[in-house]
Amino acid sequence: MLKRYNPDVKFVVELFPKLGVTDFTSHIATIQQSKADLLMCSFWSGDATINHEAGAAVGLFKNMKGVFTTAVACTTR
């Protein structure tokens, strides 16, 4: 659908962590290295919080916007 409304969009990386994984360090590093403008994340519950806080801790959102498809309580430090 995104390509329909924005045909110039380019997907640079897709990641699917295994269920139950709580260390997203390698995924976050891959996302940073991709130099993407936007991160779309559909994690939910605790996974979303862990991923968001780990990304924020290493400055992931300084140069990249984040779109999270679920509502959870996340804090950015």
Side-chain angles (χ1 to χ4, degrees):
M1 188 56 83
L2 182 59
K3 283 275 197 188
R4 177 179 174 189
Y5 291 103
N6 188 350
D8 295 330
V9 72
K10 178 181 174 191
F11 295 91
V12 293
V13 66
E14 288 185 46
L15 300 171
F16 297 93
K18 291 184 180 183
L19 291 175
V21 170
T22 57
D23 181 2
F24 301 109
T25 305
S26 65
H27 294 90
I28 291 168
T30 300
I31 294 165
Q32 282 182 308
Q33 292 168 2
S34 77
K35 306 264 191 240
D37 297 317
L38 177 79
L39 167 65
M40 198 300 272
C41 180
S42 60
F43 285 167
W44 61 280
S45 189
D47 291 346
T49 304
I50 292 167
N51 184 56
H52 185 273
E53 289 183 347
V58 296
L60 183 64
F61 304 109
K62 288 183 180 180
N63 298 313
M64 175 184 305
K65 293 187 187 298
V67 175
F68 291 81
T69 60
T70 57
V72 295
C74 293
T75 58
T76 303
R77 295 185 175 103

